[in-house]
Structures are given as C-alpha cells and as structure tokens.
Amino acid sequence: MKTVTVEELLTWAFVHELPKGGGVDGLDNVNSAWRMLQASSWGKISSFAELMTLIDQQLGDGSNYFIEQGEPHDDAVAVGGVVAALANFDISVPAGWDALSDWPETDGLAQDAVERAVERFMLRTWARRAAGIVSLVVGTAILGRDPDWQAEPSKVRMVERGGKPAWFVMKRVTDGLGQSYDLEVDGFNRRTGRPQRGAYRKFELSVDPVGDILGRLDYQIWVAALRHIQKVVAPQLSAHRIAASDRSMTPWLEADRPGVALFEVARHEAVKKTAAVC
C-alpha cells in the first residue's frame, strides 16, 4: 500500500482519477466520475440547486465527452463519495470564536469584527454553506494549496471626520409613531467650535478585517473537512494508507486550539432546507 497524506490523496483523486469520463472537460462534465458520484448522492441536489452549475447536457452532445479514459481507481471513487456527501453537512461556529486571538489588544474592536463576519457567514443559506464545504475541498485539491489564513493586524485609530477627530453624542429622539429611542449623532457644535456636553470620541480599526476573518473561517472548515474525510475514507481504501496528520486548526497560534466543527444534517431537514431555496 502507498502511504500518502489526506491532501495528497485528494489531489490524486480529483486531478487524475475523478475527471475520467468527462473528456476534455474533466470534472466539469456531467459524465465525469465526480459528477456521477454527486448525481448518486444528496450532494448534487444541494450544491447544484444553490450554485446553478449543473448544465443539462443531453447524451450525444459533444463526442469529446466520451473519450476513452478508463475507469477511476476504486480508492478515488471512495474519496469522491465521501467528499460529495459533505454537501449534507453544516457548520457550527463555537460561541466566542476568536479568529484574531493572535492580534494585539484592540479594546474589543477585533472581536466585534469577528462577530460581524460570523453573522455575515451565517446569513448564507444552508445549501450555500454546504456547497462551500465541497468547493473548498475540491478547489484546494486541484490547486494543491491550503486556504489562506493570514490576517495582518490592523491598527487602532480614532474615527475622523474631515481629517480631524470626530465627536459623537447620544440623543433621545421620538419618531412619528411616538416611539422614543437613542440615536448617535454628530457631537461637535460648529457654532461654538466645541464638542457638545457629554460628547465622546470613537475608535476603529485602520483596515476592516472581515475578509481575513472569513478566510480563517474557511481554513478551519477545510481542516474539519479533512479530518472527517480521513476518518471516514481510511477504512475503505485498498491501495492507499493515510498518514497521521498534525495539521493545526489554528496555525496562527503556537498551539492547536479547537475551532469550527461540521455536523451532518438529518435527511428530512436536508430535504426541507433544499426545497426552501430551490
């Protein structure tokens, strides 16, 4: 048996074996081994319905689709089946997830950005999140590189207006329906040239890190997927042995810390959620 890492196994499967049957179009063709695996699993329904990538190709359209390429290796088929099934999974982000724990202290600004990024991510439909898991695994396997988890620390700076530090103040207002609420408004009195009573200044990050945070989220999703794939597919292999992996969930820290997790969505829930977005 050949000993490989799970990343090497995925690259071999998706670059050399699972494109078979797809002719010059490889993985993208509906007749490739990979698309056939998706079509035989619930993964096809969730990912294709959400991403609109399934091309309705009639048999006989384009003879190059049927170039003789041989059958894919059984181990590659096993790998492809496990990856396709990831479209039945969802992502759990732990409470208090601190994607920027390697940053210097920012008086809570970094954690606020993390919470905004997670909120943005979870606004995606379940089917889109599930399809993203599969896309991460397949894309990194083809490219042969890890998702980028770099996040250069942003500096903390005072909020400015017109090149000068801005002042803010909370004002109690009442709307047309008689509802009262607090509204943050400009706290600088231009008539007197001084800040209003109770005015305060605010701070912000020099660069919005939401994109970098989502990159680290993608990285942890990918690592969680690799661990799942290795656990499930290892007993199914006949010609390969997967080497033990020490890949960290948090390579930006000195120690491996817990991160996001994947969990399988119940079949009836998958049907309900997919039907809701189709």
Side-chain angles (χ1 to χ4, degrees):
M1 298 180 76
K2 182 178 181 180
T3 300
V4 295
T5 64
V6 65
E7 296 94 327
E8 291 171 338
L9 184 67
L10 285 162
T11 295
W12 166 76
F14 281 96
V15 173
H16 300 288
E17 297 297 318
L18 295 179
K20 290 179 177 179
V24 296
D25 292 331
L27 289 175
D28 291 335
N29 187 263
V30 294
N31 298 298
S32 69
W34 167 237
R35 296 305 188 191
M36 291 296 183
L37 281 167
Q38 286 194 309
S40 64
S41 72
W42 186 248
K44 186 211 70 169
I45 300 175
S46 61
S47 61
F48 288 170
E50 180 68 13
L51 297 179
M52 307 290 286
T53 57
L54 180 58
I55 300 174
D56 186 11
Q57 181 67 45
Q58 298 297 322
L59 290 178
D61 289 350
S63 59
N64 60 351
Y65 294 151
F66 302 100
I67 294 173
E68 178 57 44
Q69 296 172 302
E71 294 294 324
H73 193 285
D74 287 346
D75 284 1
V77 173
V79 170
V82 175
V83 174
L86 286 172
N88 297 323
F89 282 67
D90 203 351
I91 297 141
S92 173
V93 181
W97 183 64
D98 191 357
L100 301 177
S101 55
D102 56 322
W103 279 25
E105 178 58 45
T106 61
D107 294 324
L109 293 174
Q111 190 56 35
D112 287 344
V114 171
E115 292 173 2
R116 290 199 310 273
V118 172
E119 181 179 14
R120 178 188 300 182
F121 178 81
M122 295 308 296
L123 285 175
R124 300 174 184 176
T125 62
W126 164 76
R128 186 180 173 195
R129 293 194 301 270
I133 302 172
V134 178
S135 296
L136 265 175
V137 173
V138 176
T140 53
I142 293 172
L143 294 175
R145 65 185 185 207
D146 305 354
D148 184 13
W149 50 263
Q150 300 295 331
E152 187 70 22
S154 297
K155 295 180 180 179
V156 176
R157 67 184 181 190
M158 191 173 292
V159 177
E160 296 183 349
R161 186 180 291 116
K164 296 181 179 181
W167 290 93
F168 301 86
V169 68
M170 296 301 295
K171 183 179 180 180
R172 191 72 175 176
V173 297
T174 303
D175 61 21
L177 299 176
Q179 299 292 324
S180 297
Y181 54 92
D182 291 328
L183 179 67
E184 187 177 65
V185 298
D186 186 357
F188 188 76
N189 189 324
R190 284 167 175 71
R191 183 178 60 82
T192 64
R194 298 175 61 84
Q196 299 181 34
R197 182 185 299 274
Y200 51 89
R201 284 175 170 167
K202 294 171 62 177
F203 294 85
E204 64 181 359
L205 296 173
S206 59
V207 178
D208 187 351
V210 168
D212 289 339
I213 295 165
L214 290 174
R216 288 189 169 181
L217 181 59
D218 276 349
Y219 175 84
Q220 291 200 343
I221 293 169
W222 178 66
V223 173
L226 291 184
R227 293 177 179 179
H228 170 79
I229 293 166
Q230 179 164 346
K231 178 182 177 181
V232 175
V233 83
Q236 303 179 39
L237 302 177
S238 60
H240 295 82
R241 179 186 300 108
I242 304 179
S245 174
D246 59 355
R247 180 177 291 279
S248 174
M249 184 70 78
T250 52
W252 50 89
L253 301 176
E254 292 184 0
D256 184 19
R257 303 294 186 190
V260 303
L262 304 183
F263 64 94
E264 190 168 9
V265 178
R267 183 85 180 191
H268 69 279
E269 282 297 315
V271 173
K272 185 188 305 181
K273 291 181 179 180
T274 303
V277 298
C278 290

